[in-house]
């Protein structure tokens, strides 16, 4: 190297070193570097060293951070940066020095005094993407000279015209030199904010979105879940560069794919808002898929050198579409007086503000911190909305389950009612047929057998035969009355029973007493009337034939829902049979069976020489009907 070139190099290094030293406070433990010499060129070393004749033309002082969209509009890398520094004072023998680089886009290599000490990956297409990745480069103590040292940083990146976002264009942030232990904490904080947190949100969106997409696809009535799932999955795909820093395609292809995703994200967002508002637009169904094909086509036709301009124009158009859909959704929610409208209004308002901050930062540049914060807002809001949708879906499932259980209960009740009605209809049908058959038999008995018995009563010269025929005729009439099924007023039945019992006892020379209430309003069924009549007849016959008494009493009462008849005589009583039972003979078993058929009971109390008491009890709800 010629002496003039060497002098120029030393002069440039001293200028940079002086600027760096002046920018550092006296008590600071780290050195913040905000200026450097920059020279473009894809050379093995700093271009000024490779070609001394062109050193003045190529190497120029620049301020850090150096944004290529401002300092090198339309130009790509690689670009070399040279910084000179003095050896830092080390507080301990084991303390290492390090270089902290907050942002180097797209990739970089670091040389200390001509020796490669760090490489971020591939420096040729396809480049390793380290945009947004804070780098901490350890400076080996053996390579640090006691006095003046040189740091050469080679940055490979793209011009802003060839990328969709300003923050993926080439550039280098300010540098910080100091103890590794101090810079390590700063690098960890920045990595958490710029890398780890977006990665966690991206993974959350991917899992949640996949679940909701499947859920909405299965249940077509909740198609908004499928569109929201697609929205979150596509949004997580935008952050794939944080996971896959080395991709098998050139940067131009990767940028084209990322920008094309915006149209699909817009389709999912607009359709989600419309379907969530219970509205389906045929225009949106047709035009949004066409837009997903039109946007990539325009990017291909315009070429990679106009990618940024077209992406910004499309972003404005797509943002307006999402905004219009959001306004339509909020109007529909407010008209429907939905309680959750304020939640979605706040969420959509926050998303709109974050989108505005991102769009403005794309235009004016400056610090990337506002844009990074805005990019964190969108996935956070998506998580909030996703949790809200899952909550609503779970509540809807719970309500549907309760509705299904209620419906099943109603179906069971309806089925039981139908079966009950069917049984009643069947019983009614059987009863009608039985009633019709009873009336036929009663008519046959009355017209045929009754006529013959009546003829015997009036024509027979034998008094015994005439009496038997008359008794048979009365029994037949009672049976016919039971067959016809006509109800009898209880008061009338008591009158008939009194006349028959008292008359029979009087004819046998037995004094009879009858006691019964008056003005009864109940109706006695024909079956109960017949069975009670036969029980009274049997009891009367037993008094006449077997008691040997001279006095009998019949007491009828209605109390506690029961109709009760007590028949008592002062005769000799009933002799107990060998087995100790009173229902042997005298028709006692028959009377008890008749009472049992009426869901009642017939009790017999008797002892030799103490008379006999017959207690008949019939439930009113079985044998009586209220008179109309």
């Amino acid at each position: 190297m010629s002496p003039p070139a060497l002098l120029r190099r030393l002069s440039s290094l001293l200028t940079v070193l002086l600027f760096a030293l002046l920018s550092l406070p006296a008590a600071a433990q780290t050195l913040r570097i905000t200026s450097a010499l920059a020279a473009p060129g894809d050379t093995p070393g700093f271009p000024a060293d490779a070609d001394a004749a062109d050193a003045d033309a190529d190497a120029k002082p620049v301020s850090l951070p150096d944004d290529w969209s401002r300092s090198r509009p339309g130009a790509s890398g690689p670009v070399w940066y040279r910084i000179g520094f003095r050896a830092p004072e080390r507080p301990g023998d084991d303390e290492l020095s390090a270089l902290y680089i907050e942002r180097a886009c797209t990739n970089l290599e670091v040389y200390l005094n001509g020796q490669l000490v760090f490489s971020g990956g591939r420096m040729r297409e396809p480049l390793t993407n380290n945009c947004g990745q804070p780098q901490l480069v350890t400076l080996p103590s053996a390579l640090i000279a006691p006095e003046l040292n040189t740091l050469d940083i080679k940055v490979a990146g793209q011009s802003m015209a060839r990328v969709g976002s300003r923050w993926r264009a080439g550039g280098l942030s300010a540098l910080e030199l100091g103890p590794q232990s101090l810079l390590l904490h700063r690098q960890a904080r920045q990595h958490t904010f710029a890398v780890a947190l977006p990665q966690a949100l991206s993974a959350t969106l991917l899992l949640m979105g996949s679940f909701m997409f499947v859920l909405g696809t299965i249940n077509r009535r909740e198609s908004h879940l499928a569109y929201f799932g697609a929205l979150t999955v596509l949004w997580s795909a935008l952050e794939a560069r944080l996971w896959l820093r080395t991709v098998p395609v050139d940067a131009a292809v990767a940028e084209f794919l990322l920008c094309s995703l915006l149209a699909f994200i817009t389709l999912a967002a607009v359709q989600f808002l419309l379907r969530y508002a219970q509205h389906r637009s045929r225009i949106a169904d047709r035009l949004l898929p066409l837009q997903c094909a039109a946007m990539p086509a325009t990017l291909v036709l315009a070429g990679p050198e106009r990618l940024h301009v077209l992406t910004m124009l499309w972003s404005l158009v797509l943002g307006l579409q999402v905004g219009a859909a959001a306004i339509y959704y909020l109007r529909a929610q407010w008209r429907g007086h939905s309680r959750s409208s304020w939640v979605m209004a706040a969420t959509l308002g926050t998303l709109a503000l974050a989108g505005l901050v991102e769009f403005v930062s794309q235009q004016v540049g400056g610090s990337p911190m506002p844009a990074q914060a805005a990019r964190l807002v969108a996935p956070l809001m998506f998580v909030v909305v996703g949790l809200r949708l899952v909550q609503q879906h779970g509540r809807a499932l719970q309500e549907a389950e309760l509705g299904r259980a209620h419906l099943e209960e109603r179906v069971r009740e309806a089925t039981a009612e139908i079966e009950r009605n069917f049984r009643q209809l069947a019983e009614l049908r059987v009863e009608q047929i039985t009633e019709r058959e009873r009336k036929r038999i009663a008519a046959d008995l009355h017209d045929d057998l009754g006529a013959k018995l009546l003829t015997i009563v009036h024509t027979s010269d034998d008094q015994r035969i005439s009496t038997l025929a008359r008794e048979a005729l009365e029994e037949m009439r009672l049976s016919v009355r039971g067959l016809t099924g006509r109800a009898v007023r209880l008061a009338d039945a008591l009158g008939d029973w009194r006349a028959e019992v008292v008359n029979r006892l009087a004819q046998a020379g037995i004094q009879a007493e009858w006691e019964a209430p008056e003005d009864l309003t109940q109706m006695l069924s024909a079956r109960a009337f017949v069975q009670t009549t036969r029980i009274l007849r049997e009891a009367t016959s037993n008094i006449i034939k077997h008691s040997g008494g001279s006095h009998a009493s019949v007491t009828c009462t209605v109390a506690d829902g029961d109709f009760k008849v007590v028949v008592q005589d002062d005769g000799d009583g009933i002799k107990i049979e060998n087995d100790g039972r009173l229902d042997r003979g005298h028709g006692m078993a028959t009377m008890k069976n008749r009472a049992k058929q009426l869901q009642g009971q017939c009790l017999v109390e008797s002892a030799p020489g103490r008379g006999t008491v017959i207690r008949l009890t019939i439930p009113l709800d079985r044998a009586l009907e209220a008179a109309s």
Side-chain angles (χ1 to χ4, degrees):
M1 182 180 297
S2 62
L6 180 60
L7 290 175
R8 285 194 297 270
R9 179 182 176 188
L10 291 175
S11 177
S12 300
L13 289 176
L14 289 175
T15 302
V16 173
L17 179 60
L18 180 62
F19 186 87
L21 291 175
L22 291 176
S23 64
L24 179 67
Q29 295 184 357
T30 61
L31 173 66
R32 183 172 178 80
I33 302 173
T34 58
S35 63
L37 286 176
D42 189 9
T43 58
F46 194 78
D49 296 338
D51 188 0
D54 296 335
D56 291 337
D58 295 333
K60 297 179 181 179
V62 295
S63 298
L64 299 180
D66 181 24
D67 186 358
W68 290 7
S69 62
R70 294 173 178 270
S71 61
R72 301 171 55 81
S76 299
V79 175
W80 284 86
Y81 295 89
R82 170 163 287 184
I83 301 98
F85 69 96
R86 291 188 179 277
E89 296 181 1
R90 292 180 293 178
D93 295 337
D94 297 333
E95 184 70 31
L96 294 176
S97 298
L99 176 68
Y100 173 63
I101 306 172
E102 183 174 325
R103 176 179 177 270
C105 201
T106 299
N107 195 20
L108 80 164
E109 290 179 344
V110 179
Y111 294 82
L112 175 60
N113 294 325
Q115 298 294 321
L116 178 65
V117 294
F118 177 81
S119 175
R122 289 181 57 86
M123 295 293 291
R124 296 181 182 276
E125 292 289 352
L127 294 170
T128 299
N129 184 8
N130 282 313
C131 285
Q133 297 277 348
Q135 305 289 346
L136 185 64
V137 181
T138 301
L139 302 180
S141 301
L143 296 179
I144 299 178
E147 297 296 333
L148 187 64
N149 294 271
T150 303
L151 273 175
D152 292 332
I153 302 175
K154 182 180 182 181
V155 177
Q158 303 291 330
S159 65
M160 190 175 70
R162 299 174 64 90
V163 294
S165 172
R166 174 187 290 271
W167 308 116
R168 293 197 295 273
L172 180 67
S173 67
L175 309 177
E176 197 163 354
L177 188 66
Q180 185 183 37
S181 59
L182 292 179
L183 297 177
L184 184 62
H185 295 291
R186 183 171 180 181
Q187 189 260 352
R189 288 195 300 269
Q190 180 64 20
H191 184 273
T192 300
F193 179 75
V195 179
L197 186 56
Q199 283 182 336
L201 291 174
S202 175
T204 302
L205 290 181
L206 180 61
L207 294 176
M208 182 180 68
S210 301
F211 167 74
M212 299 189 73
F213 181 79
V214 174
L215 191 64
T217 303
I218 295 175
N219 189 357
R220 295 297 181 88
R221 294 182 179 179
E222 296 185 351
S223 58
H224 64 281
L225 296 179
Y227 282 109
F228 183 79
L231 171 62
T232 54
V233 170
L234 290 173
W235 191 273
S236 66
L238 287 178
E239 303 296 335
R241 55 190 175 84
L242 295 175
W243 300 89
L244 302 174
R245 289 190 286 175
T246 300
V247 294
V249 295
D250 292 345
V253 177
E255 287 294 327
F256 168 77
L257 294 176
L258 287 176
C259 295
S260 299
L261 280 179
L262 296 178
F264 294 91
I265 292 175
T266 302
L267 182 149
V270 171
Q271 290 287 38
F272 162 68
L273 292 171
L274 294 180
R275 300 296 177 88
Y276 197 29
Q278 304 296 323
H279 176 72
R280 181 167 184 173
S281 172
R282 293 184 177 180
I283 297 177
D285 292 344
R286 295 175 181 176
L287 294 184
L288 288 176
L290 292 178
Q291 182 174 257
C292 292
M295 180 180 178
T298 57
L299 296 179
V300 171
L301 293 176
E305 297 299 331
R306 297 182 179 86
L307 181 68
H308 182 77
V309 175
L310 274 180
T311 301
M312 290 297 101
L313 293 177
W314 272 109
S315 298
L316 182 60
V317 173
L318 300 177
L320 292 176
Q321 294 176 13
V322 176
I327 294 174
Y328 179 87
Y329 166 77
L330 293 177
R331 288 185 59 187
Q333 291 294 303
W334 285 328
R335 287 178 180 177
H337 303 285
S338 175
R339 296 180 180 179
S340 61
S341 59
W342 66 272
V343 178
M344 286 298 295
T347 302
L348 292 175
T350 305
L351 286 172
L353 181 60
L356 181 62
V357 170
E358 172 69 19
F359 185 80
V360 171
S361 67
Q362 291 286 340
Q363 305 304 315
V364 301
S367 174
M369 293 299 293
Q372 290 179 352
R375 285 195 293 269
L376 288 177
V377 169
L380 283 174
M381 293 298 101
F382 288 155
V383 171
V384 171
V385 175
L387 294 177
R388 178 69 176 174
L389 292 175
V390 170
Q391 180 188 19
Q392 291 179 347
H393 182 72
R395 187 180 302 167
L397 287 180
Q398 184 179 11
E399 293 177 354
E401 184 65 23
L402 292 177
R404 186 182 65 83
H406 180 67
L407 180 61
E408 289 180 353
E409 182 65 23
R410 294 289 300 275
V411 169
R412 283 195 295 267
E413 293 177 356
T415 302
E417 182 68 20
I418 292 173
E419 291 177 352
R420 186 163 53 250
N421 293 337
F422 181 78
R423 285 195 300 268
Q424 291 177 354
L425 289 174
E427 292 174 358
L428 180 61
R429 179 63 177 169
V430 171
E431 185 177 347
Q432 289 175 349
I433 296 174
T434 304
E435 182 67 19
R436 189 162 55 246
E437 189 64 19
R438 285 176 178 174
K439 289 181 179 180
R440 186 189 65 79
I441 294 173
D444 292 344
L445 290 174
H446 183 271
D447 296 341
D448 190 7
L449 183 57
K452 292 179 180 179
L453 290 174
L454 186 60
T455 300
I456 294 173
V457 169
H458 292 292
T459 60
S460 178
D461 295 333
D462 190 336
Q463 184 64 30
R464 181 174 177 276
I465 294 176
S466 178
T467 301
L468 291 175
R470 184 178 290 106
E471 291 177 357
L473 182 60
E474 289 298 327
E475 185 65 28
M476 185 210 68
R477 287 176 178 174
L478 182 61
S479 298
V480 169
R481 193 168 188 177
L483 289 173
T484 56
R486 295 177 183 176
V488 181
R489 288 184 60 202
L490 183 56
D492 295 339
L494 289 173
D496 292 343
W497 293 335
R498 177 179 182 180
E500 181 179 345
V501 172
V502 171
N503 185 40
R504 290 184 64 192
L505 290 175
Q507 290 178 0
I510 300 173
Q511 184 182 359
E513 292 183 8
W514 181 275
E515 183 180 352
E518 298 179 357
D519 300 330
L520 296 176
T521 59
Q522 288 86 355
M523 299 291 291
L524 191 64
S525 67
R527 183 165 176 263
F529 173 76
V530 172
Q531 298 293 1
T532 305
T533 300
R534 287 173 174 166
I535 292 173
L536 288 175
R537 283 181 180 178
E538 186 67 28
T540 304
S541 297
N542 286 340
I543 294 173
I544 295 173
K545 296 178 180 179
H546 306 292
S547 69
S550 60
H551 182 273
S553 64
V554 180
T555 303
C556 301
T557 58
V558 176
D560 299 330
D562 294 333
F563 172 56
K564 299 180 179 181
V565 180
V566 179
V567 181
Q568 186 175 4
D569 65 69
D570 60 352
D572 299 332
I574 302 175
K575 295 180 180 180
I576 300 178
E577 301 293 337
N578 294 332
D579 57 0
R581 295 177 59 181
L582 290 174
D583 56 357
R584 297 283 187 177
H586 306 300
M588 296 301 176
T590 302
M591 288 191 292
K592 290 184 177 183
N593 287 334
R594 294 185 188 278
K596 188 175 182 181
Q597 292 177 10
L598 299 176
Q599 304 298 320
Q601 63 179 357
C602 182
L603 302 178
V604 180
E605 301 173 3
S606 181
R610 295 184 181 181
T612 302
V613 178
I614 299 174
R615 301 181 186 276
L616 174 63
T617 303
I618 301 174
L620 284 173
D621 59 347
R622 298 288 182 178
L624 302 177
E625 297 176 357
S628 59

